[in-house]
Amino acid sequence: MPHAKEHPLAGRRVVPDAQTGATVYVVDWLDRLPNAGYLLRAGNPVGDAFRRRIAGLDLHVSGAVLAHAAPGVALVHHAELPAYDPVPVGVIS
């Protein structure tokens, strides 16, 4: 079942990893975006990298959030994003 509301950081640019300082633009929960499920299919490099990363963190794919990052799209787990109450730590815009 898709998330009922958009991700709290949707439309914002955030820094998920303070060590690298790289920013991502959060689009929304992956399950709320039409035709975006293909990113999680086996063999898709974006989904494969996401699954490898979250397996090491013992997280579930249901927390997938689509983001734009250099050089293209990325999947991040909501637990990897900065806190978002009331003003997220690491928010740039």
Side-chain angles (χ1 to χ4, degrees), residues 8-9 12 82-89 91:
L9 294 175
R12 294 183 181 218
Y84 39 83
D85 282 330
V87 177
V89 174
V91 169

Side-chain angles (χ1 to χ4, degrees), residues 30 33-51 64-67 73-75:
L30 185 65
L33 302 170
N35 304 318
Y38 76 92
L39 290 168
L40 285 175
R41 288 189 192 136
N44 184 302
V46 173
D48 290 345
F50 174 71
R51 277 191 299 282
V65 175
L66 182 66
V73 298
L75 292 176

Side-chain angles (χ1 to χ4, degrees), residues 2-3 6-7 11 15 20 25 48-51 65 75 78 89:
H3 287 85
E6 75 176 6
H7 192 277
V15 179
T20 67
Y25 176 81
D48 290 345
F50 174 71
R51 277 191 299 282
V65 175
L75 292 176
H78 71 93
V89 174

